[in-house]
Amino acid sequence: MFTPRLIGRVRSPYTETKKIPKGPGAKHDAEGTLEILPEFEAGLSDIEGFSHLFVLWMFDRSEGFELMGTPPIDNRPHGVFATRSPRRPNPIGLTVVENLRREGPVLHVRGVDMLDGTPILDIKPYLSNIPQESLRRGWLAEAESRANRSGN
Amino acid sequence: MFTPRLIGRVRSPYTETKKIPKGPGAKHDAEGTLEILPEFEAGLSDIEGFSHLFVLWMFDRSEGFELMGTPPIDNRPHGVFATRSPRRPNPIGLTVVENLRREGPVLHVRGVDMLDGTPILDIKPYLSNIPQESLRRGWLAEAESRANRSGN
C-alpha cells in the first residue's frame, strides 16, 4: 500500500467529540481553518475558484474498527461502510466544506466537523452533485423519520 | 499516522489509464464491481438502501507527486489540491458511484473511473448535495468554456 503523509491540520472549535453536532437535523456550519504545511502550499494554487472542497483526514483519536456499529442517530446496528463511524478499517474521514477564503497556506472554511488538530491527508475540488431526485439515504432516512415522529 | 489496509478491489472495464474518459463532457457511466474481501463483508450490512456511495481507493499505478500539474482538460498548470491528479502527496482517489445491487461481498455499481484491480480503502454513504446554485467550479469551468468555444 502506501505510507500516509501529513499535509496539514484542521483548526476547529471542537476539542471534544461530544461537542460535534450529530443526529437528525444536525447543522455543520462551524467555521475553521485548514492549515497546510509550508512544503505543500504550492499545491493550493487556483483552489480559490472552487466554492466547495472535499477534505480527507485521519480519525487520529479513534482506536481499531468494528464492522457493525450503532450510530448516535439510531438504536439499530449498521455495517460500518453504511455509516460515518470513525471506527473503520482505514480511519479516513471525508468532509465537504465551503471554501471561504485563502491566506497563503491557510484555507478558511465553513462546515468543519473534525476535532481541533485533526491531520489532513488530502484536499480535492468538489465538482458536481448527484441529481437530488435520484438520491436515496437508506437507514438514515428511516431513523430520521422515526426520530421526527417521536418528537425529537 | 496509520497503515492503510486493503478492503477489496475494483473490477472495471478500464485496463489502461488512457481509456478512462477525461476532459470536457466526459461521461462516467461505466459499470463495474466493488469486490470486498470476505473478512470485511459484514461491514456492507444495510448499504443496499443508499443510492450513491463514496469510494476511497488507492492510485496504485502512479509514482510520486507534483504540487503543480497540467490536467488533460487544460493547457495551464494548477495546484494538485485543485485537481484530481493521481500524483498527490497521499495517492488516494475518490469516486461517487451509483449503487446498483449487492451480491454478498460484491457491489455492482455505475460510474467507475478506476483501473481494473484498483485497491479499495473505504466505502461511505453519500448523504447530501451542495445546493446547485452555490456551486462554483473554478479553473475547470473556465477550461470547459474555452474548450466549448474552440469547438472541441
Side-chain angles (χ1 to χ4, degrees), chain B residues 83-96:
Chain B
T83 76
R84 296 278 179 148
S85 166
R87 306 197 58 217
R88 323 183 67 78
N90 288 295
I92 306 175
L94 174 65
T95 301
V96 176

Side-chain angles (χ1 to χ4, degrees), chain A residues 117-133:
Chain A
T118 289
I120 300 172
L121 297 170
D122 201 4
I123 299 175
K124 298 177 191 289
Y126 183 105
L127 297 180
S128 63
N129 280 325
I130 300 303
Q132 192 66 35
E133 63 277 13

Side-chain angles (χ1 to χ4, degrees), chain A residues 1-7 39-40 42-52 54 56 58-59 65 67-68 77-84 88-94 96 99 119 121-132 134-140, chain B residues 1-7 39-40 42-52 54 56 58-59 65 67-68 77-84 88-94 96 99 119 121-132 134-140:
Chain A
M1 303 293 282
F2 64 99
T3 304
R5 201 186 285 263
L6 179 77
I7 67 155
E39 61 265 41
F40 296 112
L44 296 175
S45 180
D46 295 336
I47 208 163
E48 298 87 340
F50 294 91
S51 59
H52 295 78
F54 288 115
L56 274 63
M58 181 188 165
F59 287 105
F65 67 92
L67 291 176
M68 295 285 292
H78 305 287
V80 66
F81 301 125
T83 75
R84 298 278 181 150
R88 321 182 70 76
N90 288 295
I92 306 175
L94 175 64
V96 176
N99 186 16
L121 297 170
D122 201 4
I123 299 175
K124 298 177 191 289
Y126 183 105
L127 297 180
S128 63
N129 280 325
I130 300 303
Q132 192 66 35
S134 66
L135 208 56
R136 286 181 299 113
R137 300 164 65 247
W139 67 262
L140 185 63
Chain B
M1 303 292 280
F2 65 100
T3 303
R5 200 187 287 261
L6 179 77
I7 67 153
E39 61 264 41
F40 297 112
L44 296 175
S45 180
D46 295 336
I47 208 164
E48 297 88 340
F50 294 91
S51 61
H52 294 79
F54 288 115
L56 275 64
M58 181 186 165
F59 287 104
F65 68 91
L67 292 177
M68 294 285 291
H78 305 287
V80 67
F81 302 126
T83 76
R84 296 278 179 148
R88 323 183 67 78
N90 288 295
I92 306 175
L94 174 65
V96 176
N99 185 15
L121 298 170
D122 201 4
I123 298 174
K124 298 176 190 288
Y126 184 105
L127 298 179
S128 63
N129 280 324
I130 300 302
Q132 194 65 35
S134 66
L135 208 56
R136 284 181 301 112
R137 300 164 66 247
W139 67 262
L140 185 64

Side-chain angles (χ1 to χ4, degrees), chain A residues 3 11-12 18 22 45 49 58 98 139 145:
Chain A
T3 304
R11 293 297 158 204
S12 115
K18 65 178 186 222
K22 289 190 189 67
S45 180
M58 181 188 165
E98 186 183 356
W139 67 262
S145 121

